[in-house]
Amino acid sequence: MSVQNTVSYEKQLIQTERDQKVVRSVNLIQNAQYTLSLEEQRFLLYCISKVKPDDSEHQTYTIALRDYLSVCGLSQKTSYANMKQNIITTLQKMILAIEYSDPDGKTKFMVTNWFDHITLTKEDGLAEFQFSSTVSKELIGLARYNQKVDDANKLYYISDELKYMLPFRCRYSFYLYPLLRSYQNRHEWTFTLEELRERLDVYERLDSDKEYREVYETAEKKGVDKRRPLYERFPDFRRGVLDPAIEDINTYSNIKVAYIVERRGRSVHAITFIFEDKDPREKMQSELRGSRILDRDDDYTQLATEMVPDPENPLRFTQTHKTGTDTTPQSITVPKRSTKFPKTAAEAKERMRETEKILQEERSRAKKPTNYGKRTDHAPRKRKTNFLDTDRYFPIADLGSNRYAMQTTVPAFREYAALVGGRLGEWAAVKDAATINIFLEFCVDVYGSARLQKYNMENKLKYVSDGEKIIIELDGLTCRGDFSRLIHKLFNEKRTAEQAFAIWKR
């Protein structure tokens, strides 16, 4: 066999392993609590992909560390000692807290380990492992178990392909992606902010198995988690958790996701995720992007090395000074001391002043923010095109006697839809006022507040189509306010408007 054929055969084997299914029970995804880093998540998923439907609960598996590195797109220079210290040893002691129901119908809370044992062979580069009995019940023989029980006791599970998760660069993506997949039959789901923080494990990482057990025992008895939450402010939570995870999922996985922030007053109360399957062409593009990352393509090498900053694994700096965690750290030059010893006190003082001056310049340069995209004399301000002027396309007029009306026209709606683009723009170009009113009524029924939906049932919203005119009459000031908030929430941003249209078309 020639060298070229050998390389091609190895690539086919790697792609076959990436196409393996990762089957997990919905109970494990929705109710389990665990903390794993980016590398540990990849290793765990690779181990789960080795599970076959006909395996027994006490099955022992063997993997080659070289194959693991190739499939996950990691450097083959990774040493045995590094694998042992940073991933496998840490993962073996990490625990899993999970709620489950016993045969008597009682809800129980168990703290256990992921693996019963992991054995490494240094000479052969092999890892032999066995899942713990509790974890095995959530991974092995799920379809076989469902054939023996009635519908009330069936275990629901999801099956994902490994290739859609390995390219993720943010550790929170490994939590959010299967969580949304477990609710995908509903196409949207709402989590409170605290519930989402707990599901994505946005807490500090503890060091020992003993500390974890103390945390979970306290959480079970008193309902208090002793760990310090990360990204406590919502802008930080959105920048460090939500946006990187959503970008990973939309770029590399087989689904596309958008989210809507729901507020109570000025504080964020909940987040609604809207998601759907990608079409075959989009899935092919995602697979191509992921494979180029994992194969360490020259054009994508920079992307493969740019990991999302994680407060649990801070970025390493070349010196003791830190320039921040939102950007790639820059090395800071520390002035070297002269080897020539000063002869007089005056020379010593002069050298100290020069050193302090250099250090002060370095500190001020480190603190000075980089002027990315700032308006200057040569760079005029650019308007954000992601947000649209809803007051222009959906104006609300006061008719008097506590009655209002949203009045627009078909050409105005088509202009708005053209700005949104996609399927909404193509659809609006050929539809009349009556059909557009049906779409707007769907938005009120699905995305409106409970009070607005009640008003709609009481016929306080009347949908009128008069030629080219689109009119929605609103009875009462509160009805007008709720409708105005709905329009701003749904149609002020392109992605939410296109997502609402996609769900309506289904």
Side-chain angles (χ1 to χ4, degrees), residues 460-475:
K460 290 190 176 182
L461 284 78
K462 297 181 181 179
Y463 304 86
V464 181
S465 303
D466 184 10
E468 291 288 305
K469 294 182 179 180
I470 304 171
I471 303 172
I472 302 179
E473 298 179 357
L474 309 169
D475 188 4

Side-chain angles (χ1 to χ4, degrees), residues 335-336 350-360:
K336 297 181 178 180
E350 180 64 24
R351 185 171 299 175
M352 289 177 61
R353 282 194 292 268
E354 292 177 358
T355 303
E356 183 63 29
K357 182 179 179 181
I358 295 174
L359 287 173
Q360 187 65 30

Side-chain angles (χ1 to χ4, degrees), residues 50 53 61 76 153 183 201 231 289 312 318 321 393 401 403-404:
K50 297 301 178 182
Y61 303 91
Q76 293 289 342
N153 296 317
Y183 292 105
D201 194 66
Y231 302 110
R289 285 191 289 264
E312 297 170 0
T318 56
H321 302 277
Y393 297 106
S401 302
R403 292 175 61 251
Y404 305 87

Side-chain angles (χ1 to χ4, degrees), residues 30 175 179 183 191 194-201:
Q30 296 183 358
Y175 294 93
L179 184 62
Y183 292 105
F191 300 95
E194 291 305 318
E195 182 184 8
L196 187 63
R197 180 184 296 277
E198 183 177 346
R199 295 287 185 91
L200 303 186
D201 194 66

Side-chain angles (χ1 to χ4, degrees), residues 26 30-31 158 178-189 191 195 199 275:
V26 172
Q30 296 183 358
N31 299 324
I158 63 171
L179 184 62
L180 296 180
R181 289 274 289 117
S182 66
Y183 292 105
Q184 196 167 357
N185 59 333
R186 307 196 180 190
H187 298 290
E188 68 173 273
W189 196 262
F191 300 95
E195 182 184 8
R199 295 287 185 91
F275 40 90

